[in-house]
Amino acid sequence: MLKVLFIEDNPGDVRLTKMAMDELDELGGIPITLQVCPDGEDALCFLRKSGKYSAEELPDIILLDLNIPKRSGMEVLEIIKSTAEWQNIPVVILSTSGSVQDIATSYRLQCNSYISKPVDIDRFIDVLKKTSIYWSSLISIP
Amino acid sequence: MLEVLLIKDRPGDMRLNQAKIKAVGLDKRIRMGEVGSGQAAFDYLAQEAPFELVELPDLIFLDLDIPRREGFETLETIKTDKFFRSIPIVVLSASKAKEDMIRAYSLNANSYMKKPKDPDQFIQAIEGIISYWEINQLPNLRV
């Protein structure tokens, strides 16, 4: 079971991600549970297990959009990678931004990988599937 | 085409080297340099002699099984360097010890793969890793 925290405010992208995970599940891949947090503050509450998240477990992997409300994705990345309890959780940036600056800063802040969201829906789903297979089957994570 | 640096010991390990890359056709997708020690890796990244003409890699494969202590030291040194820390590093290890994996991630390894013993499975896994990094945006440090 792979526990994925998806920090994303776009409902359409959340829906597509769920579709990709469901397709993978039907193909007999590792089951994935998806926790969605729509903004940076909510994501930090989830990781701190505060309030409504007190019974939750830490995720195995985090998918992070850079363009989220309340706290930017970059701020959230920096906090995660500088907090001992969370630092080892792989963070995959999943962003519409293809800016050279965003890419450079994200890697400097030690994101584990950076994927630009394809505009084409089929390609987006394909990218999500490849991402899931990589982190659930090829690579070992803490 | 991805520029890849492989840091490994044991020249006799034929499971991953230039010849193997070419044999399975991966040379059409990656250009791979090889070094056999942590010091050589730093010289390569800094384009010091004899590596003056190499390209800075987009991706590094670091075999932890260069003597284990050196593997972790090499990882730490690259990932604390202000410039080179941005280069993604995929750590490869024969170790089944969970603490080795945790230590690698705590030193900011981007990914950690346990090396399959079977040579065919190993090269298939490497191909899978390359396929993933081909869909990633990578920091272009060469400009």
Side-chain angles (χ1 to χ4, degrees):
Chain A
M1 172 74 70
L2 190 71
K3 300 187 295 291
V4 178
L5 171 62
F6 190 19
I7 308 172
E8 169 64 70
D9 66 327
N10 183 312
D13 287 350
V14 171
R15 196 164 47 248
L16 285 174
T17 303
K18 285 181 177 168
M19 275 172 62
M21 304 293 170
D22 286 344
E23 282 186 29
L24 271 175
D25 198 26
E26 282 166 19
L27 291 168
I30 290 183
I32 295 171
T33 60
L34 195 66
Q35 168 70 42
V36 180
C37 288
D39 62 69
E41 280 298 338
D42 192 54
L44 293 175
C45 282
F46 182 88
L47 292 169
R48 289 180 191 126
K49 302 181 194 180
S50 62
K52 61 184 176 178
Y53 298 125
S54 57
E56 297 292 342
E57 293 179 341
L58 283 178
D60 298 310
I61 187 166
I62 297 169
L63 301 180
L64 173 61
D65 187 1
L66 290 180
N67 299 319
I68 47 174
K70 295 195 185 167
R71 285 232 202 205
S72 74
M74 213 61 91
E75 275 185 83
V76 172
L77 171 63
E78 189 164 16
I79 292 169
I80 289 171
K81 289 299 179 180
S82 58
T83 302
E85 199 187 356
W86 309 330
Q87 182 233 342
N88 291 348
I89 304 172
V91 178
V92 176
I93 303 297
L94 192 61
S95 180
T96 49
S97 171
S99 118
V100 169
Q101 190 56 47
D102 280 347
I103 296 166
T105 304
S106 297
Y107 277 106
R108 192 170 44 77
L109 293 175
Q110 302 298 319
C111 75
N112 293 76
S113 89
Y114 189 118
I115 293 177
S116 285
K117 289 179 193 173
V119 173
D120 177 75
I121 290 174
D122 290 333
R123 178 110 179 88
F124 185 40
I125 292 178
D126 186 55
V127 161
L128 286 169
K129 283 183 189 175
K130 282 182 173 154
T131 302
S132 297
I133 289 168
Y134 181 82
W135 291 103
S136 65
S137 305
L138 266 180
I139 295 300
S140 300
I141 53 180
Chain B
M1 179 166 297
L2 282 181
E3 298 283 345
V4 177
L5 173 62
L6 170 63
I7 307 171
K8 69 162 198 181
D9 194 13
R10 292 192 279 160
D13 184 351
M14 304 296 286
R15 289 183 301 164
L16 182 62
N17 57 21
Q18 304 271 15
K20 193 72 181 178
I21 292 294
K22 192 166 183 188
V24 297
L26 277 173
D27 59 321
K28 295 175 177 51
R29 292 160 63 186
I30 71 170
R31 191 155 48 209
M32 191 174 79
E34 278 181 64
V35 294
S37 71
Q39 183 57 55
F42 307 143
D43 292 342
Y44 190 104
L45 293 174
Q47 294 165 311
E48 303 274 355
F51 304 113
E52 300 96 321
L53 299 180
V54 303
E55 293 280 358
L56 209 52
D58 298 306
L59 180 68
I60 295 173
F61 284 123
L62 169 57
D63 193 329
L64 262 193
D65 303 322
I66 59 178
R68 175 89 32 81
R69 210 178 102 188
E70 187 181 343
F72 282 121
E73 281 176 5
T74 303
L75 174 62
E76 184 169 17
T77 304
I78 296 174
K79 282 298 185 179
T80 50
D81 180 276
K82 282 182 186 154
F83 187 71
F84 300 128
R85 61 188 281 165
S86 297
I87 304 173
I89 297 180
V90 178
V91 167
L92 311 174
S93 178
S95 170
K96 287 192 171 74
K98 192 169 181 184
E99 51 266 26
D100 283 351
M101 173 180 55
I102 290 172
R103 188 173 172 198
Y105 278 107
S106 73
L107 294 173
N108 292 307
N110 294 72
S111 300
Y112 182 100
M113 184 186 88
K114 290 181 203 157
K115 294 190 287 188
K117 285 189 179 155
D118 180 81
D120 289 336
Q121 286 179 359
F122 185 35
I123 198 68
Q124 271 176 21
I126 294 294
E127 190 174 7
I129 289 172
I130 288 165
S131 293
Y132 176 71
W133 286 99
E134 283 173 330
I135 63 169
N136 270 258
Q137 298 288 337
L138 294 165
N140 187 357
L141 301 178
R142 291 197 287 276
V143 293

